[in-house]
Amino acid sequence: MNRLWSPCIHELVPYVPGEQPKIPNLIKLNTNENPYGPSPSVLTALNGEVGSGLRLYPDPDASKLKQAIASYYHVSPSEVFVGNGSDEVLAHAFHAFFIQDQPILFPDITYSFYPVYCRLYGITFTTVALDRDMGIRVNDYQRPCGGIVFANPNAPTGIPLSLSEIETVVRTHPDRVVLIDEAYVDFGAKTAIPLVKTYPNLLIVQTFSKSRSLAGLRVGFAVGHASLIEGLERVKNSFNSYPLDKLAIAGAVAALEDEDYFQEKRALVMRTRDLLARQLEAMGFLVCPSATNFLFVRHPDHNAASLASALRECAILVRHFRQPEIENYLRISIGTEAECASLQAALVAALDAA
Ligand code: PMP
């Protein structure tokens, strides 16, 4: 308790990000970063921004980036919002759309930042159980609510929804915002961005952190009807006029322009994932069908926390959640082919030793 704090701060339960330790030669498969660096043209663009021009503020509208995202996804710049990582975009969206007279809905197992935003902004929420195969049953969301949030593919399960399932939910809640968090969509699911032309209540949030290898630059964006974007701009301009610095704007534009690099690296991550999934299954792991750059797995005969600590002893970090329904699962980010081979070898040894 701190008597100098605003009273509501005592009630906050902050999000806990995955560790970023400084262990040498660590194989870091715990925070779903891309194992490959960003496109070389991103580095050139960043270098181009380093100079005396940094004395000036960046463009508060990041118009070049909005334009680049709009052309990439065939929407208008007025349908695009950008922010400091998709975490910030999500926070503004919760603030702008979800303080309603009814609770918002999201799955009980999903990105653990959602309840944190709810507590920050005084948003009431109800969580909805996944089915026995860890999937989202969209019919469970066909009820009155203050809004709906799905990560698609869901995290940490990695399991995607189809566009027709999403469309059913969006169509039946015309007076509520349905937010689809597509942080991992480029690794095998379909984006719902084309649906924003039909549904003014649909907001899609994406990030440059995963498929575009720019977690360190902090760039996220939303696509939706211009009136939703205007709501987000109001919140943003009441909070921070310049969430994206000059390097972030230039780097993100360059990343979008290098389509070949993007396609090559995401295909490589997906191939590595599918190979690792088959190898883990052969070792007796149950592997959720993933459309992401991570696998969510459990072994019927082995405790996940013990496996995570055995891996840690080999300087391999994976994510283990201390949440009752999923405490026997590990979430393993897809690394390079060599990193995944080391992980597999370390797991074979851990299973043998147990
Ligand atoms: N959504 C989901 C489902 C995530 O897993 C993450 C990464 N932790 C984010 C959003 C936020 O990503 P960023 O802020 O790096 O864009």
Side-chain angles (χ1 to χ4, degrees):
M1 279 293 193
N2 186 319
R3 67 187 171 77
L4 299 177
W5 291 2
S6 307
C8 61
I9 301 304
H10 293 120
E11 311 299 317
L12 294 183
V13 184
Y15 172 73
V16 183
E19 283 174 84
Q20 298 289 352
K22 306 274 178 296
I23 305 169
N25 303 321
L26 179 70
I27 297 186
K28 193 173 173 304
L29 306 178
N30 68 327
T31 47
N32 300 339
E33 287 135 333
N34 198 311
Y36 304 104
S39 148
S41 61
V42 169
L43 305 180
T44 308
L46 296 182
N47 281 324
E49 287 300 315
V50 176
S52 63
L54 288 176
R55 73 189 180 80
L56 299 173
Y57 283 106
D59 171 9
D61 288 324
S63 345
K64 259 181 126 175
L65 178 56
K66 282 188 181 172
Q67 182 61 60
I69 294 169
S71 342
Y72 192 88
Y73 288 105
H74 309 293
V75 296
S76 130
S78 64
E79 294 167 317
V80 178
F81 177 80
V82 294
N84 188 262
S86 60
D87 280 340
E88 185 184 78
V89 177
L90 289 167
H92 288 339
F94 274 64
H95 199 177
F97 308 123
F98 292 150
I99 306 177
Q100 302 291 352
D101 50 1
Q102 284 172 310
I104 68 163
L105 305 177
F106 49 81
D108 61 344
I109 295 165
T110 191
Y111 186 34
S112 55
F113 226 135
Y114 305 152
V116 175
Y117 299 131
C118 288
R119 289 187 204 101
L120 177 63
Y121 295 120
I123 296 164
T124 55
F125 65 96
T126 303
T127 57
V128 181
L130 296 182
D131 68 20
R132 277 206 283 149
D133 299 322
M134 306 298 263
I136 293 173
R137 267 185 310 238
V138 290
N139 283 344
D140 294 349
Y141 294 78
Q142 303 298 51
R143 50 167 136 154
C145 62
I148 294 172
V149 184
F150 291 141
N152 187 43
N154 197 13
T157 65
I159 301 174
L161 282 173
S162 68
L163 282 193
S164 65
E165 287 172 303
I166 290 173
E167 190 167 5
T168 307
V169 176
V170 178
R171 198 185 322 110
T172 47
H173 293 87
D175 297 324
R176 296 302 191 200
V177 170
V178 177
L179 191 167
I180 311 294
D181 175 355
E182 294 187 347
Y184 300 101
V185 75
D186 293 329
F187 297 108
K190 270 216 155 84
T191 177
I193 288 179
L195 296 179
V196 303
K197 294 281 180 207
T198 315
Y199 299 102
N201 60 323
L202 174 62
L203 188 75
I204 311 302
V205 175
Q206 287 200 14
T207 179
F208 280 70
S209 297
K210 315 293 179 180
S211 57
R212 297 190 189 270
S213 300
L214 287 175
L217 207 61
R218 312 304 300 129
V219 183
F221 64 95
V223 178
H225 191 273
S227 65
L228 293 185
I229 301 305
E230 194 191 327
L232 288 171
E233 294 288 352
R234 270 192 194 206
V235 174
K236 172 248 171 190
N237 288 319
S238 308
F239 182 79
N240 178 3
S241 311
Y242 310 104
L244 290 194
D245 61 50
K246 290 187 169 202
L247 276 74
I249 295 170
V253 169
L256 267 184
E257 285 171 352
D258 196 346
E259 181 67 10
D260 289 350
Y261 187 88
F262 166 72
Q263 293 296 352
E264 182 196 315
K265 291 298 185 274
R266 81 182 178 116
L268 179 54
V269 168
M270 290 190 283
R271 272 203 311 277
T272 312
R273 172 195 69 207
D274 295 344
L275 173 65
L276 181 63
R278 287 198 300 276
Q279 291 170 332
L280 294 180
E281 277 169 352
M283 292 160 66
F285 280 94
L286 303 169
V287 181
C288 290
S290 170
T292 63
N293 65 339
F294 57 84
L295 292 173
F296 198 51
V297 308
R298 77 182 167 87
H299 199 293
D301 308 324
H302 294 268
N303 174 277
S306 319
L307 288 178
S309 46
L311 289 174
R312 200 186 178 91
E313 283 178 16
C314 310
I316 300 175
L317 271 199
V318 298
R319 190 92 194 252
H320 174 247
F321 298 90
R322 292 187 193 286
Q323 187 183 336
E325 305 90 331
I326 54 170
E327 68 186 354
N328 225 7
Y329 282 82
L330 295 177
R331 192 196 67 189
I332 305 171
S333 308
I334 302 305
T336 61
E337 288 160 308
E339 286 173 329
C340 288
S342 302
L343 166 94
Q344 195 232 356
L347 277 174
V348 168
L351 297 193
D352 277 355

